[in-house]
Structures are given as structure tokens and as C-alpha cells.
Amino acid sequence: LEPKEEFKHKTLAMDVMRPQRADPPLSVLMQSGMSVDQVEAVIADTSYSGFPVVVSQETQRLVGFVLRRDLVISIDNARRIQEGIVGASQVLFTEHTPAQPCDGPPSLRLRSIMDLSPLAITDHTPMDITVDIFRKLGLRQCLVTQNGRLLGIITKKDILKHMAQMTNRDPESILFN
Ligand code: ADP
């Protein structure tokens, strides 16, 4: 990502993050309570590279981030080789397995594929600082929170597109590699 003169007019993370007003809501996964079928539906209905994992819809408290490809591979493998994993199995990103009704199918534990400390910035973080963070840490995406509540996501491409819009430039010409 190029130098930050382009962000002189104090653009904030909230101006660049998705979703913006007209966008569909953020696609998140719950740390517990979703079935394999429900997670597969989220994967099928979207094309995002990854999904934030939250405690619950109500709190939107961030617990991690999981890449789409890791989810797909793990669910595929589990369905093929892990005893008892079916569409109705509960997907768990939690540390401990909650007590389970003994008549239900076994749960699919996926905590090991989750990034437990995805980088998160507040919605008021100036974009010049955000760009610095992306560059220095080599990020592909980062999450945006406000008072511990997950609000949105910013990808490297979102930043490049935003910069191109502000300077009327082709995003490709800003990509440095
Ligand atoms: P890229 O920006 O590199 O194409 P993605 O395909 O992951 O990466 O994201 C496409 C767009 O959707 C971006 O604008 C991004 O901010 C947004 N986005 C990414 N992940 C999610 C998600 N889980 N829910 C909602 N929007 C997302």
C-alpha cells in the first residue's frame, strides 16, 4: 500500500469498512449453536474469504476469525472421516464442549482452525494509521469494533479501492506488487 498523503482529509475506518449502509449485514459465525448445515449455508450463500466468529448475535463480541478455505476443508474432511458428523452436528469454536443431549449427533470442534487474535481496530481509527498497520503487519484484512462490538471488516482490496476512488486512479496502479 502506498504512502498516506491520500488520506489527508481524515478518512476513518468506519468510512472504508464493510458493510456500509446499503450493504447486506456482516456474515458472521456463532461460536456455538450453529449446525454444520447452517455453516455450509453461509459458505454457499457468500464468497467472502473469511468470517468473524462471535459469541452471539446479540453481543457481537468477537472471538476469532476463520478463513473460508480452512472451513471448507475441515468440514469436508470431518464429514468423510469423522465418526458421526452429519448436517445436524453442532459446530463449536469454543474452548470447552458444552453439555450435549446424548441422543444428538457428536459436535464438530473447529477451534483449531480459528485465528484467536485477529487484529481489530476501532471505527474511529484514522485511515492513514490503518494503512500503516496493514503495511507493517502484512495484513489481508482487519476487523472493526466499537466498545467490544464487532461492526465490520476492512480488506486490503477495500483500502486500495478507496484510495483509487479518492485519487481517480486505477486500483491496479496502486497495487505495489
Ligand atoms: P476482497 O476484498 O479481497 O475481495 P473478500 O472476498 O473477503 O476479499 O471480501 C469482499 C468484500 O466483502 C470486501 O469489501 C469485504 O470488506 C467484504 N467482506 C469480507 N468478509 C465479509 C463478511 N464476512 N461479511 C460481510 N462482508 C465481508
Side-chain angles (χ1 to χ4, degrees), residues 16-19 23-28 42 46-52 65 140-141 143 152-158 161:
V16 178
M17 70 172 202
R18 299 303 147 93
D23 298 330
L26 200 60
S27 274
V28 299
V42 172
T46 64
S47 58
Y48 306 127
S49 316
F51 304 94
F65 189 80
R140 307 269 346 243
Q141 75 277 312
L143 299 167
I153 185 167
I154 298 179
T155 67
K156 185 171 160 185
K157 252 193 217 164
D158 289 330
K161 276 193 219 148

Side-chain angles (χ1 to χ4, degrees), residues 8-170:
K8 270 196 201 96
H9 2 265
K10 276 295 162 220
T11 312
L12 303 177
M14 65 169 89
D15 305 316
V16 178
M17 70 172 202
R18 299 303 147 93
Q20 291 289 318
R21 280 149 299 273
D23 298 330
L26 200 60
S27 274
V28 299
L29 300 176
M30 248 48 70
Q31 68 171 352
S32 64
M34 289 180 84
S35 65
V36 167
D37 280 340
Q38 286 173 318
V39 172
E40 283 181 330
V42 172
I43 295 169
D45 292 347
T46 64
S47 58
Y48 306 127
S49 316
F51 304 94
V53 178
V54 296
V55 172
S56 65
Q57 283 290 6
E58 302 73 53
T59 62
Q60 290 289 313
R61 196 157 70 73
L62 182 65
V63 290
F65 189 80
V66 62
L67 288 176
R68 174 192 199 82
R69 61 159 188 273
D70 293 338
L71 260 184
V72 169
I73 292 170
S74 298
I75 293 178
D76 246 41
N77 280 341
R79 272 192 183 276
R80 279 190 296 113
I81 61 183
Q82 204 173 320
E83 188 82 31
I85 298 298
V86 292
S89 295
Q90 184 183 194
V91 175
L92 288 176
F93 293 98
T94 50
E95 205 167 345
H96 305 289
T97 311
Q100 244 185 306
C102 36
D103 53 346
S107 301
L108 172 55
R109 304 195 44 81
L110 290 182
R111 189 176 177 85
S112 61
I113 63 164
M114 179 171 68
D115 177 356
L116 294 170
S117 31
L119 197 100
I121 58 175
T122 74
D123 56 336
H124 279 83
T125 308
M127 278 309 293
D128 55 349
I129 293 176
T130 306
V131 168
D132 260 355
I133 296 171
F134 264 76
R135 273 228 238 81
K136 290 186 175 143
L137 301 182
L139 300 181
R140 307 269 346 243
Q141 75 277 312
C142 97
L143 299 167
V144 181
T145 59
Q146 181 192 56
N147 297 326
R149 240 183 117 79
L150 178 65
L151 287 188
I153 185 167
I154 298 179
T155 67
K156 185 171 160 185
K157 252 193 217 164
D158 289 330
I159 297 183
L160 292 170
K161 276 193 219 148
H162 186 81
M163 286 169 128
Q165 255 174 23
M166 295 205 323
T167 56
N168 270 322
R169 275 206 278 161
D170 172 13

